[in-house]
Amino acid sequence: MCDILIVGAGATGALAALVLAQAGLDVVCLEQGAWVNDADRPHHLADWSWQRRTRWNPDVNRRDHADDFPVKSDSSQILMWNAVGGSTNVYGGLWPRYRPSDFRKGTEHGLQPDWPITYEDISPFYESADRIIGVSGLAGDLAMPPRERCPTGPLPVSDVARRLSAGFDKLDWHWWPVEASVISEDYDGRPACNNCGVCNGCPRGSMNEFSTSIWPKAIRAGCDLRTHARVLKIEKGADGRATGAYYIDRNSDQILFQKARIVVLAANGVGTPRLLLASNNLANSNDQVGRNLLHHTLVASEMWVDGPVDGHIGYAASLISREFAETDISRGFVNGFNLNCVTSTPSAGELAAGWFSSARAPWGSGHHQWFENHFGRSIGVFAIGDDLPNPENRVSLDPERTDSDGMPGAKVQYAPGENDKRMMNYMLDRLKELAQACDAVEYRLQDYRDEGGVYRTPAWHMLGTCRMGKDPETSVVNGWTQSWEVPNLFIVDGSVLATGGTVNPTPTISAMALRTATYIRDNFAVLSTATKHTAMD
Amino acid sequence: MATNLTKFPSSFFQKEELNQNRIQPDDLGRTELSITTTILSSSNRTEQPHILKLLIDELIPGDTLWPKASEIGLDNVILLRLFGQESSALFEQLAPVLDCSSDGLLSTASANRTSAVRRFEELSPALFEKIYTAAVLAYYEMPVVVEAIRASGRPYSASPHADGYVMPAFDHEHDTPRHGRGSYMRTGDVTPLDLSSLDLDAVSTHWGLQR
């Protein structure tokens, strides 16, 4: 019997383990994958750009890895990594926060629910997460609530950022240096970013990977992290409480049972609903588990300017524009979006083969001329917005495929709705304006629709599938991310987010995980025996 | 301490049966082509590498600054990456879609060779895409090509993670934005909006680049 059983050793599992183990609780974490050794990573290899499309492809369906489980999707490119550190092994490290209005969409327009908490509730945990990670950035953005000074200062300003900021200024649009989980100076025993540009995880540790920055501390505090331990089922007792989890030790093929007083799920927005559904429909009497999948609205543009900006150099992101982050009904839709300005690919080969859009070097006699005209002159911009929930956008169990240990795979259905489509049209128009304002000599927009018109978004963000709420009928967990039905079951991954916001969600997910872990820590005696969920104010 | 189960329900875990359902790797579409064709005869086996060299030189030719693809051994890299120990599979797939006659890829006339490659691209876009992508990525990894990029005057490292690039640190005095733009709605300021003008239920928007 352990005090706390955590399922999943990604970002949120790591943070929960850190808080709870440092409090002296007996914590076990089960991770279906392995440790990712620095030496195994592609960054050091000559063929790293090839590896990013094959063995290290973030799309779970584009690589062959025993640690993964199959995810059948009717549209989305499912981007995740199953290992210690989770998807932070391959993420880009952008670290922006939600806005106060993101928590109040029910009040604002009613097409999304209000969160059961406010920005003010989560704000201290944003700061805590930033300090743990060493977030780089610049305080003082008028488009956001005041924040403490970032633990490390802003990253260097790239020529891409200068070019883009001039364009934003011409349009009179907001812009600000992007916050990142990439340290701009040595921090907590890790070296400062060296501007290499290969921002798919970071073996140096300059970009915060939870496997190298958080997990060692959690383990030193006493957490028992077991890799190659795939959870098959969460078990529930007669009193309605979770009793622990069956898991397979993939090294020995033994099926084991880990008893626990409290169970914390941290298996991401696909993995967590999959596990609950596979656990005899646990915590799902209201049929909400797996529903309301959010990916964000996402479109992009690639532009080329008339002189070198060397976008292959420096951190992969540059600026963020919050000009359109709030709802403005005159645009014809609710909710807002941000412009996430990246730089370019660090790989000449990726640029020539096609990177951000359909543009690529032609084969034949024009190949080298194209390359000479485009290399060092490319800039990428994402528009990322708040998609509306739809119960039919969902994660369910795949009736046909299983993982290598017999667990059913996941099935994902996702399609944008009317409001989302209008927003993406508006985004595309703004991206065109930005390219023109930057004096791009050429630009190419990307709507991620295939030949058949299917929206195949790169789904880095898998949110909302066990959402938190005030109403037990329309949500899976309460304001403490505690299951309405199973009082000693908590969820700390992106599935609990009630709305997707207009930004990369990892900072918010991390802050939420810290908040939940702190709550469990401070109320462990009560929660370890409670047979009803906590009443919320 | 975990408890080793000796009587786990057999219906819950049937590994032998379940393993038959494991997904097969997509591997860049390796399984998407199912071309039934006659394998090039053994007498032609020696010509196979030559054909691939001719093909990749049409894809990435050389000039005074840039080496052509075959000069730097790209054919072998492509074979290794795409087909590993099964290099003959490439030629099985190429045989029906790539004209290797003296009027096609083996022609002395550049226009004929270009036409042969263009026809290959039209007949088998997936295979063409696979080969071209592999060729391009491999080409720009090659040291001589990296040197050619550097010769153009741009800083470039093929393995930048080791040493990174030098960039001036953020200068608070000069780099801090001074535009004064930006606002946000505070929690208490969020109030209900009138959505009646949106008609979100009745309209079906055509969206994207083809609208």
Side-chain angles (χ1 to χ4, degrees):
Chain A
M1 172 77 81
C2 65
D3 293 331
I4 311 285
L5 172 63
I6 300 172
V7 180
T12 57
L15 290 168
L18 181 70
V19 170
L20 295 165
Q22 285 184 337
L25 294 168
D26 179 14
V27 182
V28 172
C29 180
L30 302 176
E31 166 55 50
Q32 66 188 325
W35 286 94
V36 178
N37 297 317
D38 289 352
D40 294 335
R41 302 187 63 98
H43 295 62
H44 308 292
L45 306 173
D47 66 346
W48 58 270
S49 60
W50 174 252
Q51 299 257 6
R52 297 209 304 183
R53 295 195 177 210
T54 52
R55 282 182 62 239
W56 284 87
N57 195 316
D59 186 337
V60 72
N61 291 315
R62 302 284 289 177
R63 60 179 190 257
D64 178 29
H65 205 297
D67 292 348
D68 294 326
F69 57 92
V71 183
K72 181 180 180 182
S73 173
D74 66 350
S75 58
S76 317
Q77 304 172 61
I78 302 295
L79 309 181
M80 69 165 78
W81 202 266
N82 297 301
V84 177
S87 295
T88 67
N89 284 293
V90 290
Y91 79 153
L94 276 78
W95 208 256
R97 297 179 179 184
Y98 274 35
R99 311 160 67 74
S101 61
D102 291 327
F103 298 82
R104 284 289 168 269
K105 292 299 177 180
T107 299
E108 184 182 83
H109 56 64
L111 301 176
Q112 291 161 290
D114 275 343
W115 288 52
I117 62 172
T118 65
Y119 179 89
E120 288 71 23
D121 290 325
I122 198 175
S123 178
F125 298 97
Y126 275 134
E127 300 293 352
S128 297
D130 284 8
R131 284 192 296 272
I132 290 170
I133 285 157
V135 166
S136 61
L138 182 67
D141 183 357
L142 296 174
M144 289 295 290
R147 56 154 302 146
E148 293 177 14
R149 183 177 177 179
C150 292
T152 67
L155 290 158
V157 180
S158 63
D159 287 347
V160 166
R162 295 189 195 285
R163 187 71 175 232
L164 285 165
S165 60
F168 282 123
D169 286 344
K170 200 181 291 187
L171 292 164
D172 200 26
W173 291 356
H174 168 272
W175 60 271
W176 199 257
V178 71
E179 292 147 316
S181 68
V182 177
I183 51 179
S184 59
E185 54 202 83
D186 294 357
Y187 188 85
D188 195 27
R190 294 182 283 129
C193 172
N194 68 353
N195 311 309
C196 81
V198 191
C199 301
N200 283 94
C202 180
R204 287 168 54 85
S206 305
M207 175 187 289
N208 181 72
E209 287 182 3
F210 287 70
S211 57
T212 52
S213 62
I214 312 297
W215 268 115
K217 294 176 183 175
I219 291 167
R220 282 197 294 271
C223 177
D224 176 6
L225 171 57
R226 301 174 195 162
T227 59
H228 299 99
R230 177 170 275 150
V231 174
L232 304 170
K233 184 185 179 188
I234 306 295
E235 194 72 355
K236 189 171 78 169
D239 60 355
R241 292 170 49 81
T243 57
Y246 289 105
Y247 71 98
I248 184 165
D249 175 351
R250 297 173 55 223
N251 293 320
S252 66
D253 259 9
Q254 289 178 294
I255 296 176
L256 307 169
F257 186 74
Q258 176 62 56
K259 293 181 182 176
R261 292 182 174 86
I262 291 176
V263 176
V264 176
L265 299 186
N268 86 33
V270 173
T272 285
R274 173 193 180 225
L275 180 55
L276 290 172
L277 294 171
S279 300
N280 292 341
N281 223 17
L282 189 66
N284 193 33
S285 65
N286 60 3
D287 192 28
Q288 290 298 297
V289 169
R291 294 193 180 274
N292 299 301
L293 172 67
L294 304 168
H295 281 325
H296 285 122
T297 51
L298 186 79
V299 293
S301 78
E302 187 175 11
M303 68 176 92
W304 296 269
V305 292
D306 58 359
V309 289
D310 291 336
H312 54 286
I313 290 174
Y315 175 52
S318 51
L319 305 178
I320 186 167
S321 172
R322 296 181 164 105
E323 179 71 22
F324 305 98
E326 298 283 2
T327 294
D328 179 347
I329 293 292
S330 70
R331 298 176 194 147
F333 54 88
V334 300
N335 291 348
F337 62 93
N338 283 336
L339 298 175
N340 270 8
C341 302
V342 295
T343 48
S344 182
T345 167
S347 159
E350 285 180 356
L351 181 85
W355 163 63
F356 214 67
S357 70
S358 56
R360 69 174 184 186
W363 63 268
S365 59
H367 182 94
H368 299 302
Q369 188 64 60
W370 188 98
F371 183 82
E372 290 164 16
N373 291 341
H374 290 78
F375 178 72
R377 302 181 181 199
S378 154
I379 301 173
V381 182
F382 286 112
I384 174 173
D386 189 5
D387 50 342
L388 290 184
N390 174 352
E392 297 310 309
N393 288 342
R394 64 184 301 194
V395 176
S396 55
L397 295 180
D398 187 335
E400 297 169 352
R401 297 195 301 174
T402 68
D403 63 26
S404 56
D405 296 304
M407 271 275 285
K411 198 168 98 176
V412 171
Q413 295 162 258
Y414 183 86
E418 173 67 18
N419 193 79
D420 307 328
K421 293 173 184 176
R422 294 186 192 183
M423 185 191 293
M424 288 192 280
N425 279 344
Y426 188 90
M427 290 168 157
L428 289 164
D429 290 342
R430 303 292 79 75
L431 289 170
K432 179 178 174 181
E433 287 178 6
L434 179 62
Q436 291 168 336
C438 291
D439 297 325
V441 293
E442 185 184 341
Y443 64 89
R444 192 77 63 95
L445 301 178
Q446 169 65 281
D447 63 7
Y448 296 107
R449 300 187 77 184
D450 67 11
E451 300 83 353
V454 176
Y455 179 53
R456 298 199 176 277
T457 181
W460 292 287
H461 309 145
M462 298 166 289
L463 312 171
T465 49
C466 295
R467 67 186 182 183
M468 67 192 307
K470 297 176 181 176
D471 181 358
E473 292 304 309
T474 57
S475 57
V476 177
V477 296
N478 67 11
W480 294 112
T481 73
Q482 174 190 32
S483 165
W484 290 111
E485 295 180 30
V486 185
N488 64 332
L489 177 71
F490 289 80
I491 304 175
V492 293
D493 54 56
S495 64
V496 302
L497 302 193
T499 61
T502 59
V503 289
N504 308 63
T506 308
T508 301
I509 297 169
S510 297
M512 290 290 296
L514 285 175
R515 180 175 176 270
T516 294
T518 303
Y519 174 74
I520 294 171
R521 179 196 69 192
D522 295 346
N523 297 275
F524 177 74
V526 172
L527 294 171
S528 61
T529 57
T531 54
K532 288 185 178 179
H533 63 78
T534 308
M536 300 293 295
D537 294 332
Chain B
M1 180 64 71
T3 306
N4 190 353
L5 291 182
T6 54
K7 292 186 178 180
F8 198 79
S10 60
S11 59
F12 184 70
F13 183 70
Q14 299 172 327
K15 198 159 188 177
E16 286 303 310
E17 180 183 330
L18 294 167
N19 279 346
Q20 296 170 12
N21 295 328
R22 289 191 65 180
I23 56 169
Q24 297 303 308
D26 175 9
D27 197 16
L28 296 180
R30 187 184 301 189
T31 58
E32 69 190 50
L33 280 178
S34 177
I35 298 172
T36 305
T37 183
T38 306
I39 300 175
L40 293 176
S41 68
S42 57
S43 62
N44 288 334
R45 292 268 168 101
T46 54
E47 290 184 17
Q48 290 175 357
H50 180 60
I51 289 166
L52 185 57
K53 285 181 181 179
L54 290 173
L55 172 60
I56 61 175
D57 282 344
E58 290 303 311
L59 299 178
I60 308 178
D63 63 17
T64 54
L65 293 175
W66 304 92
K68 63 181 179 181
S70 69
E71 266 179 42
I72 51 177
L74 225 56
D75 48 322
N76 288 315
V77 178
I78 292 167
L79 282 172
L80 279 170
R81 286 188 182 172
L82 294 183
F83 294 91
Q85 304 301 309
E86 304 294 330
S87 61
S88 61
L90 170 63
F91 301 100
E92 289 176 39
Q93 293 178 23
L94 281 177
V97 291
L98 183 60
D99 177 2
C100 296
S101 72
S102 57
D103 293 326
L105 196 63
L106 295 176
S107 171
T108 54
S110 172
N112 288 2
R113 296 196 302 272
T114 300
S115 295
V117 177
R118 187 168 295 123
R119 185 167 174 272
F120 163 36
E121 183 179 18
E122 290 166 0
L123 285 174
S124 187
L127 180 61
F128 179 89
E129 179 71 23
K130 194 159 76 167
I131 293 171
Y132 184 57
T133 298
V136 170
L137 291 176
Y139 184 80
Y140 289 96
E141 290 170 17
M142 298 295 168
V144 65
V145 177
V146 172
E147 284 306 318
I149 295 172
R150 288 183 182 144
S152 72
R154 305 313 322 142
Y156 184 68
S157 169
S159 299
H161 190 70
D163 301 317
Y165 295 102
V166 175
M167 293 178 77
F170 187 93
D171 181 332
H172 282 269
E173 186 177 345
H174 295 104
D175 294 334
T176 299
R178 308 288 179 200
H179 53 64
R181 292 187 286 269
S183 63
Y184 67 95
M185 193 171 292
R186 289 163 175 76
T187 298
D189 295 339
V190 178
T191 53
L193 298 169
D194 177 6
L195 307 189
S196 58
S197 64
L198 294 184
D199 203 16
L200 286 169
D201 291 330
V203 181
S204 181
T205 294
H206 294 286
W207 81 278
L209 299 179
Q210 303 305 319
R211 72 193 128 126

